[in-house]
Amino acid sequence: MQANLRAVIHQIVLLLTTVGLVQAFYVPGWSIKSYEDDEAIPLQVNKVYSDNTQLQYAYFELPFVCPATGKRHAGLPSGKGISLNLGEVLRGDRIMTSDYDLVMGQDQECRYLCTHEVDRNGIKRAQQLIEDGYVAEWIVDNLPGATSFVTVDRTQKYYAAGFKLGYKDLSPATGKPRYFLNNHVTLVLRWRQAPGRAGERGAKVIVGFEVYTKSVAAGDRLETGCPRDLRDVSEGMQLNIPANNTKLATKYPGSSYLPEQDDMDDGAMMNIPYSYSVYFREDTRVDWANRWDMYFNNQEESNKIHWLAILNSLVIAGLLSAVVVMILNRIVRGDTKPSVVAIEEGKIKLKNKKPRTGSRSPKLLEKKGSSSGLLEKNGDPDNDADLTSDEESVEEITGWKLLHADVFRAPAYPGLLAPMIGSGMQLVFMATGLLILSCLGILNPSFRGGFVSVGMGLFIFAGLLSGYFSGRVYKTFGGANWRKNTLMTAILFPGLLFSTIFVLNLFTWAQASSTALPFGTLVGLASLWLLIQVPLVYGGSWYGFYRCQPWEHPTKTNSIARQIPLQPWYNRPTNAILLAGLVPFAVIFIELLFVFRSLWQDKSGYYYVFGFLSVVSLVLMVTVIEVTIVFTYMQLCAENYHWWWQSFFIGSGSAFWVFLYCSWYYFAKLHIQGFISAILFFSYSLLACTVYGLLMGTVAFLTAYAFVRRIYGAIKVD
């Protein structure tokens, strides 16, 4: 745990010191590692994962692979875990050194690794992993071992991280499925001369790591353990231990049918030999700084779709901008021309208005008759003219201006809304920081686990902002118990986040998955929360509550609340939230496809187009702001002053549609198998939508607050 925390702090310091040095699209590592001829190169094994399930497993924990011997390779004993940052642990990485010997510049046509005995349970486990499409991730010089592909027109080559554990086919004789294990790998390391002085001394850098697999039967090998002919493999390594009919007959006495597959462990074993080949090839077409581009080339065709997503977002935002401009310039400014409103004798009237001529409505005549008394002179033309002017002014003051004495009335449950706004500002800061660092190239695939590590660091230290906004909003609402508000802010969302991770961790623990967080990591996360974030929230809340004044409101609030009339269907809370949420969702749904594909469907690829994502996120923010203004204005025009919570839910309404989108993607696009994987998918999707809704809801709330203060600040109330 302490090593993980030190790694996180060390990398945050490195981030802060290298921001000014970023010049390229991404910084692939902190420093160039060069190798001299005949220098040993460590090969590290990480994990196996699949697009069809959310469960990952550490490579060395598989029962059918060669276990680590503990011998030293490239100065490190095999089986020794590499120090991981917090992000790597959270994403399920378990990187360890292996027994593969790689020496710069030395080709090895074949080298025997080991022969591993596997029992029936191990064979069954291997068959299940092959059935689920698992791939293995190995690492050399921070590059993941890749399967090489060529485009249809054979003009471009690209990589997919990882390589298949094996393959499945159907027996030509029986038609039943057969499983074959890839027990021979050919490792191709592409190199070029190192830049700078190291290259002048003959040093080399690795610019590519390719893995080619073969399945070779144990009987198709030489005495050394190497395959007889790698170019012509006659028989693959089939995973099958013949059934023990004697044991089965004892288990099923009197039965005329004996099952071929049975869970009975009769002690039968199967020997699986492993071998590998190594080749070094010079490649001057790839620079060390651009060596990760090969993992992205297969995604270049999607750039047109990214531009389509941006165009779609801009069109929607442009239409909303026109609506907002119309509201601000034609309606709001027109309504606020008579800028002074007086409250006199229980009526609202406008000052400095010239009386208009014309017939009065029956309602006004009735009103006049009822308001005349003993102290008034009947038939006074001056009084008639004044009364006519006042009553016509009353008739014109409708809609949002009637709410000036109620619009800033404190909302229900202010002790819940204020902490949510504080946590939302915490997420806004974290998301903004991650997008900026990703666009600068500091957070990139070569910084494995960096996105999660830096995001966690930004979230923890943004506790100051969370406490400040929560405390000041709570004070503006008229709250007095700031310590209770601080505790709610520090525990509400972080507690929900930690509790969800802990519960889901129990499921992954039960499956012995590497995605399960070690106990030390859970203790470390709890320490970051309770020992660092909570004090920061406390400090920010104290400053926002005691050192800052509450935000002033341009109008005073009456002691008696105004009655709210019946609302039209589109202004009712549920309808308004769902309708408003559709617009931001329409802005991001195309880009969400690429995010979903990277997270759930194509884990061998990398999401790297953070420039497109930043533009779409910016347009999304503008869209939420504009939608909030439109719906808040409609709500106020309907004489409904309960806009505090409504504005928050207007902004977060698109989270509902995003979750429905996740559900559709699960059933329509994914082939995830297993109950646990389904639970993990929907739980993490719901958690992500909650984060998104909290973030957008906070933006909408602050937008509505600024908008309401602005329009009511344009009128003066006596």
Side-chain angles (χ1 to χ4, degrees), residues 404-410 556-563 641:
H404 66 89
D406 295 274
V407 72
F408 293 107
R409 189 177 302 279
K556 295 182 180 179
T557 302
N558 284 344
S559 58
I560 301 177
R562 179 184 178 88
Q563 185 176 1
Y641 53 85

Side-chain angles (χ1 to χ4, degrees), residues 564-624:
I564 300 175
L566 183 65
Q567 299 293 296
W569 69 270
Y570 53 82
N571 264 353
R572 294 169 187 170
T574 303
N575 297 340
I577 292 169
L578 294 179
L579 288 174
L582 273 175
V583 182
F585 172 72
V587 170
I588 62 172
F589 82 98
I590 297 179
E591 192 65 30
L592 279 178
L593 276 177
F594 295 95
V595 178
F596 289 168
R597 182 185 302 173
S598 177
L599 290 177
W600 306 112
Q601 190 174 9
D602 186 12
K603 298 175 184 176
S604 297
Y606 296 94
Y607 185 87
Y608 72 102
V609 283
F610 289 100
F612 289 110
L613 182 62
S614 299
V615 173
V616 173
S617 300
L618 181 60
V619 177
L620 170 66
M621 199 81 69
V622 173
T623 303
V624 170

Side-chain angles (χ1 to χ4, degrees), residues 653-682:
S654 57
F656 171 77
W657 299 106
V658 172
F659 184 75
L660 289 183
Y661 197 41
C662 292
S663 302
W664 169 83
Y665 195 83
Y666 176 86
F667 291 107
K669 298 292 184 180
L670 300 181
H671 304 285
I672 293 180
Q673 303 171 358
F675 178 70
I676 300 299
S677 295
I679 288 179
L680 294 176
F681 175 87
F682 284 104

Side-chain angles (χ1 to χ4, degrees), residues 320-368:
L320 279 175
S321 299
V323 175
V324 171
V325 168
M326 181 183 68
I327 290 176
L328 295 179
N329 291 341
R330 298 183 181 180
I331 300 177
V332 175
R333 291 186 181 180
D335 288 345
T336 57
K337 282 181 181 178
S339 59
V340 181
V341 177
I343 303 177
E344 183 179 308
E345 296 180 359
K347 298 178 182 179
I348 303 175
K349 67 177 183 178
L350 300 183
K351 291 185 177 181
N352 300 328
K353 284 277 291 184
K354 294 182 180 180
R356 298 184 298 183
T357 60
S359 61
R360 307 176 200 168
S361 64
K363 290 184 179 180
L364 293 181
L365 291 173
E366 182 182 350
K367 199 171 202 179
K368 175 183 175 183

Side-chain angles (χ1 to χ4, degrees), residues 48-64:
V48 294
Y49 56 89
S50 171
D51 296 336
N52 299 322
T53 177
Q54 304 307 315
L55 299 175
Q56 305 173 357
Y57 302 98
Y59 183 82
F60 270 144
E61 292 179 2
L62 301 179
F64 53 87

Side-chain angles (χ1 to χ4, degrees), residues 4 56 82-94 448-449 452-453 514-518 520-522:
N4 291 338
Q56 305 173 357
I82 303 299
S83 178
L84 304 176
N85 60 47
L86 182 59
E88 289 175 311
V89 176
L90 292 177
R91 67 193 293 264
D93 288 347
R94 300 294 183 266
R448 189 174 289 103
V452 178
S453 297
S514 66
T515 314
L517 300 180
T521 303
L522 289 175

Side-chain angles (χ1 to χ4, degrees), residues 2-161:
Q2 295 179 352
N4 291 338
L5 292 177
R6 286 198 298 268
V8 172
I9 297 174
H10 174 68
Q11 290 175 359
I12 291 176
V13 172
L14 288 176
L15 284 174
L16 296 176
T17 57
T18 55
V19 168
L21 302 178
V22 177
Q23 297 178 351
F25 177 71
Y26 61 85
V27 182
W30 302 117
S31 61
I32 298 177
K33 172 62 178 176
S34 58
Y35 298 91
E36 305 287 344
D37 285 335
D38 301 329
E39 181 179 351
I41 303 173
L43 187 150
Q44 300 158 347
V45 297
N46 187 5
K47 60 186 178 183
V48 294
Y49 56 89
S50 171
D51 296 336
N52 299 322
T53 177
Q54 304 307 315
L55 299 175
Q56 305 173 357
Y57 302 98
Y59 183 82
F60 270 144
E61 292 179 2
L62 301 179
F64 53 87
V65 302
C66 291
T69 62
K71 296 180 180 178
R72 301 185 72 85
H73 300 272
L76 297 172
S78 65
K80 178 179 176 57
I82 303 299
S83 178
L84 304 176
N85 60 47
L86 182 59
E88 289 175 311
V89 176
L90 292 177
R91 67 193 293 264
D93 288 347
R94 300 294 183 266
I95 304 176
M96 299 181 180
T97 55
S98 70
D99 284 301
Y100 290 86
D101 282 323
L102 308 180
V103 181
M104 174 58 76
Q106 294 185 9
D107 292 348
Q108 302 180 49
E109 185 174 353
C110 180
R111 183 156 183 176
Y112 171 73
L113 183 64
C114 81
T115 297
H116 188 52
E117 285 189 342
V118 186
D119 59 10
R120 291 187 182 274
N121 291 330
I123 294 298
K124 186 177 180 180
R125 180 73 183 282
Q127 292 175 347
Q128 185 61 50
L129 293 180
I130 294 173
E131 176 75 26
D132 292 338
Y134 273 83
V135 299
E137 181 181 295
W138 292 357
I139 301 170
V140 169
D141 193 37
N142 203 33
L143 280 178
T147 302
S148 177
F149 296 94
V150 180
T151 55
V152 177
D153 56 3
R154 297 186 176 274
T155 60
Q156 203 169 26
K157 179 181 179 181
Y158 63 91
Y159 288 160

Side-chain angles (χ1 to χ4, degrees), residues 217-250:
D220 195 17
R221 291 175 176 265
L222 301 173
E223 294 181 358
T224 59
C226 289
R228 298 181 186 276
D229 188 358
L230 284 173
R231 297 176 181 83
D232 184 17
V233 177
S234 60
E235 185 180 359
M237 186 67 212
Q238 183 178 356
L239 298 173
N240 180 45
I241 299 179
N244 190 331
N245 293 331
T246 303
K247 294 273 188 178
L248 291 176
T250 304

